[in-house]
Amino acid sequence: MSFLGRGSPVSATSLSVPKTWDDITPEWMSAALAADFPGAQVDTVGVELRDDGTNRRARLGVTYREGAGPATVFVKAADPAHKAMIRLTSGMFHEPRLFTCGVDLPLEHPAVHAALIDEADYDFVLVMEDLRARGADPRDGTRPMTVDEVTTGVRGLGRMHGKYWGERVLREPALGWLEPFVTWEGMQAAPLPVALERLGDDAPAEVLSLGIDELIESIWKPYIRTLTTSPQTLLHGDPHIGNTYLLPSGEVGFLDWQVARRGNWSLDLGYFLQGALTVEDRRASERALLGEYRDALALPAGELPSADEIWLRYRASVAHGLTLWLVTASAGEWQRTDVSVALAQRYSFAYADLEAASALAAISG
């Protein structure tokens, strides 16, 4: 077991991953907050809201007998019911490692006060800021963003990608644990016809004709394999709109970093942009947004990808969003159906509009 925290780490024996949120004591929370709020001694801590999904999540209310700290914090830990699914993508410990390894993430994201990893029990816990305190508005597929809002997210991804572009991500000692983005197994069991029926009568014919084997073996896997045979960077890995929030300033932030990987930039860029906008707004603005991304990379001329290369790989990247959200919409258990269907529809139209199949053939051939 190891404790990871910024500043002065707590000893490995002083804390353990709580099995339930009721196991978090004032002493435990005082230790967890010590690095960011020195001198704060917690008086009471209690659950205000439970919000479980793939992970256990809760908002905790905190009071203090000495010093000062946040009135609420957000905590996140592994859900025993989903550990087997998380093993498929080997993503259990990536988020706590990312936020405590010391690297700079030059885009909007939640502050993480402490992280605890229990490798033996395949468990972790994160203690993070409660984003409500900054007026954050978490988004999902039923509430698309405006073009101006997406522009801030595209620029943020560009800044992060540029900072760790190419050899930089491999040379950064603090990211030595970072794995490449590779394929995983398990999605072939999805009842794809269920999702295709939910897309509606106006869904593109080239999507409605897909079978699950073609989707996984001929579209998704070939695209994912290109992520490690082309320029790589630090990836969020899962930046769909449901893993974002909007601040009152209009800035988009990214949360839920458990799929952090290294790989080609196109995955983050396409997955975010194609799902965060309405179909109409994407069609009208995506070329300009790719220009915003290219500018935000701030790379030397010799490393900067051409506008044509960005367009080509962006078109091919629909393979990822299309596959994941068709599978999710067919399962009906990981996300609300209205959320998953809305996203599956957006990626389906993007797949047809962008002629993703021909772009994929061009980069994978």
Side-chain angles (χ1 to χ4, degrees):
M1 184 179 296
S2 61
F3 182 87
L4 305 173
R6 298 174 304 180
S8 53
V10 176
S11 67
T13 58
S14 62
L15 290 179
S16 60
V17 175
K19 300 305 178 187
T20 71
W21 300 131
D22 295 329
D23 293 338
I24 294 181
T25 64
E27 293 75 21
W28 191 101
M29 186 58 70
S30 295
L33 295 175
D36 286 348
F37 301 95
Q41 295 296 313
V42 174
D43 185 31
T44 64
V45 56
V47 176
E48 293 189 352
L49 175 70
R50 297 176 191 270
D51 182 26
D52 293 339
T54 305
N55 295 289
R56 293 187 291 131
R57 301 177 296 189
R59 180 182 299 119
L60 306 182
V62 187
T63 64
Y64 300 86
R65 56 184 173 83
E66 291 182 23
T72 56
V73 295
F74 194 76
V75 288
K76 176 179 176 181
D79 184 341
H82 292 103
K83 285 185 179 181
M85 182 181 71
I86 295 172
R87 282 186 187 274
L88 292 175
T89 59
S90 67
M92 182 65 78
F93 304 132
H94 290 70
E95 188 170 25
R97 285 179 174 142
L98 178 67
F99 280 106
T100 53
C101 71
V103 298
D104 175 43
L105 300 178
L107 77 177
E108 170 59 36
H109 61 79
V112 175
H113 304 310
L116 186 68
I117 290 175
D118 185 345
E119 295 194 27
D121 198 35
Y122 204 59
D123 207 352
F124 76 96
V125 67
L126 290 172
V127 180
M128 301 180 286
E129 70 168 313
D130 178 4
L131 288 165
R132 294 186 316 157
R134 290 199 281 145
D137 175 18
R139 306 306 284 262
D140 66 33
T142 66
R143 301 172 62 219
M145 295 178 179
T146 68
V147 174
D148 286 345
E149 290 163 354
V150 167
T151 299
T152 73
V154 164
R155 289 171 177 163
L157 290 172
R159 291 192 301 271
M160 182 180 75
H161 291 170
K163 186 176 181 65
Y164 298 102
W165 191 270
E167 290 298 315
R168 297 170 184 82
V169 71
L170 300 174
R171 293 197 306 259
E172 173 55 64
L175 292 176
W177 53 269
L178 194 64
E179 299 177 15
F181 202 113
V182 297
T183 63
W184 62 83
E185 300 298 327
M187 293 193 290
Q188 288 89 340
L192 185 60
V194 173
L196 297 178
E197 184 175 351
R198 290 171 171 167
L199 290 179
D201 295 337
D202 61 342
E206 52 264 70
V207 173
L208 293 176
S209 65
L210 290 172
I212 190 64
D213 288 340
E214 181 182 4
L215 179 65
I216 302 298
E217 300 295 335
S218 300
I219 297 175
W220 182 69
K221 286 186 177 180
Y223 170 68
I224 297 301
R225 292 186 186 111
T226 71
L227 300 180
T228 50
T229 59
S230 53
Q232 298 180 51
T233 186
L234 171 62
L235 297 176
H236 176 287
D238 197 23
H240 64 81
I241 191 172
N243 285 338
T244 69
Y245 56 92
L246 189 67
L247 292 176
S249 65
E251 184 78 12
V252 170
F254 295 88
L255 43 76
D256 286 350
W257 293 71
Q258 59 262 36
V259 191
R261 297 289 190 278
R262 58 176 170 84
N264 185 267
W265 47 270
S266 61
L267 184 136
D268 275 358
L269 178 61
Y271 198 32
F272 170 62
L273 194 162
Q274 294 152 8
L277 291 170
T278 65
V279 172
E280 293 75 16
D281 281 348
R282 173 189 55 77
R283 288 168 174 165
S285 63
E286 59 195 342
R287 286 275 196 174
L289 286 167
L290 297 189
E292 294 282 355
Y293 173 80
R294 186 171 184 262
D295 290 344
L297 289 171
L299 288 169
E303 293 183 86
L304 190 65
S306 68
D308 287 344
E309 181 184 357
I310 289 178
W311 177 241
L312 179 64
R313 290 190 180 275
Y314 167 79
R315 289 169 52 211
S317 73
V318 188
H320 188 61
L322 178 74
T323 301
L324 265 60
W325 286 98
L326 283 178
V327 168
T328 302
S330 70
E333 60 186 55
W334 299 327
Q335 297 274 351
R336 297 193 332 255
T337 300
D338 59 334
V339 170
S340 60
V341 170
L343 287 171
Q345 289 171 333
R346 283 179 210 146
Y347 292 113
S348 293
F349 281 111
Y351 183 78
D353 292 343
L354 297 170
E355 298 180 334
S358 64
L360 179 58
I363 68 171
S364 61

